[in-house]
Amino acid sequence: MAEIIVVANEDEAGEIYAQAVMKLLEKKPNAVLGLATGSSPLKAYEHLAQHVHDKHLDMSQVRGFALDEYVGLEPTHPQSYRSTITRTVVEPLGMNPDLVHVPNGAAETLAHAGADYDRMIEESGGVDIQILGIGADGHIGFNEPGSSLASGTRIKTLTQQTRSDNARFFDDDLDQVPRHAITQGIGTILRAKHLILLAFGDNKAEAIAHSIEGGVSSFWPASALQLHSHATVIVDEAAASKLHNLNYYRWAYENKPEWQEI
Ligand code: GLP
């Protein structure tokens, strides 16, 4: 089972992520970070950037792999995930942009872009810590409900729900939101060594409850975390509100041995 940590707010969650990454970097200065877009990881990146700044850490060898990208947006489009990752992660952390990869949504190479991406991740030695958000329908990356739990990086057709959730980044104009994305598969994500999923707010409560306490099903893609031996789920009270075993998760975290890391 994933470790469930209930926090007061996004800052507390962000600090837990930042501490985990800092510990990793002490041991491995060329660590491989799995990166996600969306609003959920923003505080986590901010906290990490603060530590990097305060401790004058050299991030130039750290490598990164983003989860997904829209198909049909130029990488220079402000809402492409390439631009978003550059703005929210690469620049604030002082990473070398050449070492940060985003799936390639360009039409010419789309047929083999997924397999190429998975090969690149494998050749890097694999993702050490993968940060994840979750969609209201339980999607991770852009693996919409019904995605194979064994899937590799590939094209997915976005649901109308996801498109309308993301319309806020496109002047609330649904027509501007791409219909397809290239996303790391659930099988790809499961190969990362440590998964840290962050979820905040009421609209994530149902997806969290199904994914953590329901059966493993491709119809709740984040339920695949139940198959991973090192997964950490950090939620605020609102996102945790539909979990039945909440008291146990709190009890377990409060009584966690000091030597045990997340
Ligand atoms: C998009 C991204 C996901 C992200 C989800 C939720 O669909 N592809 O990686 O988890 O949005 O975003 P937010 O964190 O803004 O709720």
Side-chain angles (χ1 to χ4, degrees), residues 208-230:
I208 285 293
H210 277 283
S211 302
I212 303 304
E213 295 181 339
V216 174
S217 160
S218 61
F219 281 86
W220 289 100
S223 67
L225 266 69
Q226 295 180 40
L227 300 170
H228 199 283
S229 60
H230 191 186

Side-chain angles (χ1 to χ4, degrees), residues 37-41 67-68 81 133-135 139 141-142 162 166 168 204:
T37 55
S39 46
S40 306
L67 280 175
D68 45 12
Y81 282 180
I134 182 171
H139 74 248
F142 269 132
T162 298
N166 289 358
R168 66 189 197 277
K204 303 291 172 74

Side-chain angles (χ1 to χ4, degrees), residues 35-41 67-70 81 131-136 139-144 158 162 165-166 168-169 181 183 198-200 203-204:
L35 305 170
T37 55
S39 46
S40 306
L67 280 175
D68 45 12
E69 178 59 288
Y70 289 113
Y81 282 180
I131 193 169
L132 295 166
I134 182 171
H139 74 248
I140 47 177
F142 269 132
N143 293 282
E144 297 286 26
L158 302 180
T162 298
D165 285 349
N166 289 358
R168 66 189 197 277
F169 300 111
T183 181
L198 308 175
F200 311 109
N203 69 326
K204 303 291 172 74

Side-chain angles (χ1 to χ4, degrees), residues 157-195:
T157 306
L158 302 180
T159 62
Q160 289 293 70
Q161 173 71 55
T162 298
R163 291 183 68 238
S164 71
D165 285 349
N166 289 358
R168 66 189 197 277
F169 300 111
F170 294 87
D171 306 323
D172 281 322
D173 176 5
L174 196 57
D175 288 337
Q176 286 185 46
V177 185
R179 289 161 196 229
H180 300 95
I182 175 166
T183 181
Q184 282 191 32
I186 298 176
T188 313
I189 293 169
L190 289 179
R191 284 196 288 278
K193 290 162 198 134
H194 182 192
L195 304 177

